[in-house]
């Protein structure tokens, strides 16, 4: 990946993930199509420019969650 494309990936990622702009808005600012924005965001994740993490979930009550699943026929239950 060239230096220029790295800069584009970083710009698009910053506008989308940090700036909270939609893909259409990012496309307009970056001067690329919306489908290119989608591909650039994928590249950002694949190359590690963007890393997404989710905090570990600590069950409030695993027993209560299991009871809710059984009682209501749910696929999953999360008690917080």
């Amino acid at each position: 990946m060239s230096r220029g494309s790295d800069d584009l990936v970083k710009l698009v990622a910053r506008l989308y993930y940090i700036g909270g702009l939609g893909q259409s808005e990012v496309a307009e600012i970056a001067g690329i199509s919306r489908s290119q924005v989608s591909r650039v965001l994928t590249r950002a994740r694949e190359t590690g420019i963007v890393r997404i993490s989710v905090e570990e979930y600590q069950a409030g009550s695993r027993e209560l969650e299991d009871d809710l699943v059984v009682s209501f026929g749910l696929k999953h239950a999360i008690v917080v």
Side-chain angles (χ1 to χ4, degrees):
M1 190 179 320
S2 71
R3 172 76 179 143
S5 64
D6 275 354
D7 289 344
L8 176 65
V9 172
K10 291 174 185 177
L11 170 66
V12 167
R14 179 169 294 280
L15 292 171
Y16 184 77
Y17 289 109
I18 296 174
L21 300 179
Q23 289 188 11
S24 296
E25 295 168 300
V26 173
E28 187 174 324
I29 292 168
I32 59 177
S33 71
R34 198 189 86 43
S35 61
Q36 286 175 300
V37 169
S38 179
R39 288 192 294 274
V40 169
L41 291 171
T42 298
R43 181 184 292 174
R45 290 188 303 275
E46 289 173 347
T47 60
I49 290 172
V50 169
R51 293 177 300 261
I52 298 172
S53 67
V54 177
E55 290 296 319
E56 285 299 316
Y57 156 68
Q58 298 296 323
S61 172
R62 180 69 65 201
E63 185 178 324
L64 178 56
E65 290 172 347
D66 292 341
D67 289 344
L68 289 168
V69 167
V70 171
S71 295
F72 295 101
L74 305 172
K75 289 183 180 181
H76 306 282
I78 298 174
V79 175
V80 292

